[in-house]
Amino acid sequence: MTEFIQAVRCHRYAGLDKMGKPISTPDPLSEVLRLEEIPAPSCSDGQVLIDTYYAGIQYPDTLQAQGLYQMKPELPYIPGMDVTGTVKSVGAGVEHVNVGDRVIAQMSIGGLSSVVSVGASNVWKAPPRIPLAKCANLGRNFFPAYHSLKTLGHITAGDLVLVDGASGGVGMAAIELAKAMGAQVIAGVSVPEKTSLPEAACADRVFCYGRDRDSYRKFKTDIKQASTEL
Ligand SMILES: NC(=O)c1ccc[n+]([C@@H]2O[C@H](COP(=O)([O-])OP(=O)(O)OC[C@H]3O[C@@H](n4cnc5c(N)ncnc54)[C@H](OP(=O)(O)O)[C@@H]3O)[C@@H](O)[C@H]2O)c1
């Protein structure tokens, strides 16, 4: 008997017209996404089937459902690039995780589904003390932040890091990681209402760069002053 699961599917790109050309104001995603019942995936060789507990929804997911991301999946498709959950079954050749393990997984599409099938090399055991709700955004927020700080920036303890766009997913991840690396962090946001987010991520100072030239000039003065104090 066919087993069914629940998944969110995108049936039309919200940011493209019928000819596939970008439109000036994308339609709301609620108009193109639907929660549906679909046949459950099977677990083939080298794959891991995961019962999804949490699925991260991040900036690239929105862009992709608008048809404006570098990868345009065939419609309808299931959005979602990062999940956490427990292993439901493993295919032949998979040895590093077992049924019941708490795992973190990333994929190019398919995360917004109650059961996902993921290639084994993109599945990792979640550390025991970390709640699954806290790590369902590792792939798209923390990996690029880590790459920027460590691979490109060679950040070490005592360095001073400036994070702009600091209220966003990658920005908040960059603050947390830079602090964990022992750096001091100055964070920038566009409006005062957004300062509480980088503050919650433990930025040492948060300033507004605003949306005009004068605000940006003041921002530069503020960070220069703060960098002498930190
Ligand atoms: N290479 C990769 O693998 C990778 C992965 C993920 C993301 N990214 C890139 O990293 C950047 C940040 O991604 P994110 O996931 O952190 O996005 P996000 O959560 O949407 O945050 C973006 C932040 O940028 C600021 N911003 C400035 N101008 C903006 C505009 N015109 N529209 C929207 N936000 C604007 C906003 O803060 P303020 O209003 O305070 O300025 C916002 O908080 C994006 O450019 C994304 O493409 C790259």
Side-chain angles (χ1 to χ4, degrees), residues 3-225:
E3 189 193 338
F4 285 89
I5 60 167
Q6 290 201 311
V8 173
R9 291 206 295 182
C10 177
H11 289 263
R12 169 173 74 79
Y13 289 121
L16 303 181
D17 66 17
K18 286 196 174 106
M19 305 300 287
K21 296 242 164 61
I23 53 178
S24 53
T25 308
D27 294 328
L29 293 185
S30 56
E31 288 185 13
V32 302
L33 300 178
R34 281 208 298 271
L35 179 64
E36 296 174 326
E37 292 217 323
I38 59 167
S42 56
C43 191
S44 42
D45 294 357
Q47 297 283 119
V48 179
L49 222 54
I50 299 169
D51 277 320
T52 305
Y53 284 22
Y54 297 95
I57 299 175
Q58 298 149 117
Y59 177 71
D61 297 304
T62 310
L63 216 53
Q64 192 172 50
Q66 292 173 338
L68 305 174
Y69 194 57
Q70 57 256 43
M71 191 194 116
K72 272 209 285 246
E74 200 178 309
L75 296 167
Y77 78 96
I78 303 171
M81 303 180 181
D82 288 283
V83 306
T84 54
T86 57
V87 175
K88 186 178 170 70
S89 60
V90 295
V94 178
E95 290 175 354
H96 72 296
V97 292
N98 294 301
V99 172
D101 283 348
R102 299 163 75 249
V103 289
I104 300 165
Q106 67 164 327
M107 59 224 65
S108 52
I109 53 171
L112 300 189
S113 178
S114 57
V115 177
V116 296
S117 175
V118 187
S121 60
N122 288 325
V123 180
W124 305 273
K125 278 189 195 173
R129 290 177 308 281
I130 306 287
L132 291 179
K134 293 268 183 195
C135 45
N137 63 343
L138 279 194
R140 293 314 178 289
N141 287 346
F142 281 81
F143 286 4
Y146 183 87
H147 181 70
S148 307
L149 292 166
K150 209 64 195 177
T151 316
L152 303 177
H154 309 291
I155 297 303
T156 53
D159 284 343
L160 182 61
V161 176
L162 171 65
V163 178
D164 56 11
S167 60
V170 177
M172 300 263 289
I175 295 168
E176 283 187 41
L177 287 175
K179 291 304 294 176
M181 290 169 192
Q184 305 287 320
V185 178
I186 299 176
V189 293
S190 59
V191 287
E193 298 78 56
K194 291 189 176 182
T195 54
S196 60
L197 294 161
E199 277 166 5
C202 295
D204 296 282
R205 299 276 197 284
V206 185
F207 299 113
C208 285
Y209 39 73
R211 290 184 175 133
D212 56 71
R213 217 169 258 195
D214 285 345
S215 309
Y216 191 65
R217 249 185 238 127
K218 180 169 181 333
F219 173 70
K220 289 212 288 195
T221 311
D222 287 342
I223 57 175
K224 228 178 247 171
Q225 173 66 30

